[in-house]
């Protein structure tokens, strides 16, 4: 054993292995970055989408909801809510406008935020944008 795995061989395995995985790491990093423009749908970011994102942050939607898996588990995933609501920004806006749900005992309900029509449109456009990010089909089902 000691004749096969002598010091020189061990050192070569160490350096060779390090180099191999360093190159693999750099290659995958490059590949990931090269694919971002296509995957993250950045061409679809309009001023309205950006405004929706700001409203999303200022109103702490993530304090109750997840967005593509990140966030709190109190309320439904919203990464695909636009699709869940039949690809309709009108339905998304109508839902946010109509909260809180009345007359359903013990149901978790979303608060009323009193958004203006422009703000509702911006939020709906932001959620539409998010639903069109290429996530390799995540979330796996339409319920979120
Ligand atoms: C205090 C917790 C809370 C906050 C903050 C909150 N929501 Fe909600 N949201 C809920 C709950 C609970 C539901 C599901 C129950 C319901 O109200 O019908 C919901 C449902 C939704 C739905 C419908 C999801 C579905 O599949 O039915 C949308 C769209 C939505 N919220 C958008 C937002 C947006 C946009 C914000 C930020 C401006 C936000 N929510 C902030 C609690 C919250």
């Amino acid at each position: 054993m000691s004749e096969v795995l002598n010091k020189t061989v061990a050192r070569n395995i160490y350096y060779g292995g390090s180099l191999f995985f360093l190159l693999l790491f750099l290659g995958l990093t490059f590949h990931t970055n090269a694919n971002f423009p296509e995957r993250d749908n950045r061409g679809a970011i309009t001023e309205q989408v950006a405004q929706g994102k700001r409203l999303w942050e200022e109103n702490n939607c993530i304090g109750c909801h997840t967005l593509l898996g990140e966030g709190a588990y109190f309320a439904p995933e919203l990464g695909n809510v636009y699709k869940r609501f039949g690809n309709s920004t009108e339905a998304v806006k109508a839902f946010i406008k109509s909260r809180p749900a009345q007359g359903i005992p013990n149901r978790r309900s979303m608060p009323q935020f009193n958004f203006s029509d422009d703000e509702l449109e911006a939020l709906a456009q932001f959620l539409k944008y998010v639903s069109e990010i290429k996530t390799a089909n995540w979330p796996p089902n339409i319920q979120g």
Side-chain angles (χ1 to χ4, degrees):
M1 183 70 192
S2 58
E3 285 156 26
V4 180
L5 192 64
N6 59 30
K7 240 180 166 178
T8 313
V9 174
R11 191 172 51 226
N12 287 345
I13 290 173
Y14 172 73
Y15 284 129
S18 300
L19 186 68
F20 174 77
F21 283 105
L22 182 69
L23 290 176
L24 185 67
F25 173 71
L26 289 175
L28 288 174
T29 304
F30 179 78
H31 177 262
T32 301
N33 277 295
N35 275 280
F36 268 146
E38 194 222 332
R39 300 190 90 195
D40 66 9
N41 192 21
R42 69 180 61 163
I45 301 178
T46 59
E47 183 44 49
Q48 220 173 15
V49 170
Q51 190 199 346
K53 170 78 165 26
R54 281 193 292 275
L55 288 165
W56 171 269
E57 285 166 11
E58 287 161 11
N59 292 284
N60 193 28
C61 310
I62 206 114
C64 291
H65 290 276
T66 48
L67 191 68
L68 301 181
E70 296 281 342
Y73 294 113
F74 181 73
E77 160 70 40
L78 294 185
N80 59 351
V81 71
Y82 170 76
K83 291 181 179 161
R84 185 155 63 244
F85 282 14
N87 295 327
S88 163
T89 50
E90 291 307 316
V92 172
K93 291 194 286 186
F95 181 94
I96 299 173
K97 233 173 164 170
S98 68
R99 298 300 99 181
Q102 303 290 341
I104 309 169
N106 300 326
R107 180 189 160 117
R108 292 179 188 182
S109 188
M110 178 160 134
Q112 176 54 247
F113 287 91
N114 296 312
F115 290 121
S116 69
D117 287 349
D118 283 354
E119 290 171 328
L120 278 172
E121 183 62 33
L123 272 167
Q125 290 299 330
F126 171 63
L127 291 173
K128 174 176 187 285
Y129 156 76
V130 173
S131 78
E132 287 161 359
I133 294 174
K134 289 193 183 126
T135 56
N137 296 327
W138 201 96
N141 59 48
I142 198 70
Q143 282 78 33

